[in-house]
Amino acid sequence: MSMNITLSREDVVRLCERVEGAQTRAYAIPKLTDEYPNMTIGDGYAVQLELRKRFLAAGHKQVGWKAGLTSKAKMIQMGVNVPSIGFLTDRMSRPESSAISTFDLVHPRVECEVAFVMKTTLQGPGCTAADVLAATDYVLPAVEIIDSRFSGFKFDLPSVVADNGSSARFVGGGRARYAEDLDLRTLGVVMEKNGEIVTMGASAAVLGHPAEAIAMLVNILAELGENLPAGSFVMSGGITEAVAVKPGDSIVARFQELGSVSMRFVE
Ligand code: 0L1
Ligand code: MG
C-alpha cells in the first residue's frame, strides 16, 4: 500500500476539519475525492492522523485500533478491495446491554467482530498471524457500530480512511477467552435484529483468520511509523456484512465459544 502524501498541510487540516465537523455534529458530507480526485490512501491516513491528534488534544483517550474492510462480504458491500485501519477512543466505547443513542450518528450499521487485547507491543513490518497470537492476552466478542459520514455510504478508500474507517461506537462483551483455547478460524457468529436472524458467518471470513487482520494492521501502522502498544484493544473487522439499525432496534450477536453481545438503539 503506498503511503505517498500529495496534499498540502493546509488541505490536510481543511479536510480534517470537514470530517471532524461531520463526525461530531452527525451530518453527511460528499466523499472527499469529489473535490480532491487525486487523493491517495496516504493522504487519507494524513487526515486521519490529524483527526486523532485533535481528539487526543481535546482529552479523548486512545484505547486501541480497528481493522476494517477485512472480509470479502464487506469489500463487496462497500466496493473496495484493500483493508483499512482506524483508531478507537474511550468516547466510542459503550457498555454491553446498553441503550445507544442514534441522535449523534448519521446512518449507523452494526457488525460482529472478534476483538484482541494485546499483552506485548507489536512492531511491523513483517508481523505475522503467529506473532499476533503470541502477543495476545485474550480475545472477546465485539460489535462495531460503524457510521460512514459520507452521503449514501458512497466513498472510496482514501475518503473512508480519512473518516477513520467509519468508526463510531463499539461494544465488547461476552466471555473473554485465551486465543490458544479456541480455533479462531472456525468460530460461528449469528446476528439477530429484533429477534430475527439477519446475518451469520464464520471468523475465517476475516482474511482466513482474524489474527491475519491484526498482523495487517500492525504492518500498516509500521508504514505510518507506529507500533501496536501492549494493552491495546483491537477489532479485527466485520465477519459478515454490516446491518443498518434505527431507534427501537435491538441487536444480539451470538458468538460460538465467546458468548453474546447485545445492545438496543434509541433516539
Ligand atoms: O469496520 C469496517 O469494516 C470499516 C468499514 C468502512 C466502510 C463502511 O463504512 O462500511
Ligand atoms: Mg468493523
Side-chain angles (χ1 to χ4, degrees):
M1 194 179 299
S2 162
M3 291 298 178
N4 191 25
I5 297 177
T6 67
L7 294 179
S8 66
R9 173 80 195 132
E10 289 69 28
D11 285 338
V12 168
V13 170
R14 204 164 147 258
L15 291 180
C16 173
E17 284 170 357
R18 193 180 294 178
V19 169
E20 186 186 22
Q23 289 198 1
T24 53
R25 290 190 287 283
Y27 53 77
I29 53 175
K31 65 183 190 306
L32 306 183
T33 42
D34 286 356
E35 192 184 345
Y36 293 89
N38 299 324
M39 209 179 143
T40 63
I41 296 171
D43 290 325
Y45 280 110
V47 176
Q48 186 188 115
L49 174 62
E50 187 66 21
L51 188 68
R52 178 156 54 109
K53 283 188 184 156
R54 281 177 182 236
F55 285 154
L56 297 184
H60 303 204
K61 302 270 179 290
Q62 188 171 353
V63 297
W65 290 93
K66 62 162 275 186
L69 301 166
T70 49
S71 72
K72 273 272 172 305
K74 287 273 337 213
M75 288 193 198
I76 291 168
Q77 184 180 26
M78 304 324 302
V80 297
N81 57 6
V82 181
S84 64
I85 70 167
F87 61 87
L88 300 176
T89 71
D90 57 345
R91 308 281 176 100
M92 302 175 186
S93 172
R94 292 291 178 275
E96 193 176 6
S97 304
S98 63
I100 298 179
S101 173
T102 58
F103 180 75
D104 47 2
L105 299 172
V106 183
H107 37 209
R109 294 177 171 182
V110 290
E111 46 190 30
C112 306
E113 310 203 5
V114 177
F116 290 62
V117 174
M118 310 314 298
K119 65 180 174 212
T120 51
T121 297
L122 277 171
Q123 174 72 62
C127 180
T128 65
D131 297 333
V132 169
L133 291 171
T136 299
D137 193 356
Y138 56 89
V139 297
L140 71 161
V143 170
E144 180 175 28
I145 298 108
I146 49 168
D147 189 30
S148 172
R149 269 54 61 158
F150 299 117
S151 313
F153 270 88
K154 286 201 178 57
F155 51 66
D156 41 35
L157 205 56
S159 299
V160 80
V161 164
D163 186 29
N164 195 22
S166 307
S167 300
R169 309 279 179 264
F170 63 89
V171 181
R175 278 197 295 277
R177 300 282 305 270
Y178 291 118
E180 59 265 33
D181 294 342
L182 304 167
D183 181 352
L184 277 179
R185 283 172 313 139
T186 57
L187 288 183
V189 53
V190 174
M191 187 190 282
E192 292 173 15
K193 178 163 111 174
N194 305 328
E196 304 271 326
I197 294 176
V198 282
T199 184
M200 65 183 94
S203 52
V206 177
L207 299 179
H209 190 302
E212 292 286 356
I214 310 294
M216 177 225 54
L217 179 142
V218 171
N219 292 328
I220 293 179
L221 281 176
E223 290 191 62
L224 300 172
E226 304 206 31
N227 62 23
L228 179 65
S232 296
F233 173 89
V234 200
M235 291 198 296
S236 56
I239 293 169
T240 57
E241 82 273 30
V243 173
V245 286
K246 58 180 188 329
D249 286 340
S250 64
I251 293 289
V252 183
R254 298 183 196 282
F255 290 71
Q256 192 183 358
E257 311 272 12
L258 294 172
S260 62
V261 181
S262 58
M263 71 215 62
R264 63 196 169 85
F265 290 89
V266 295
E267 289 284 350

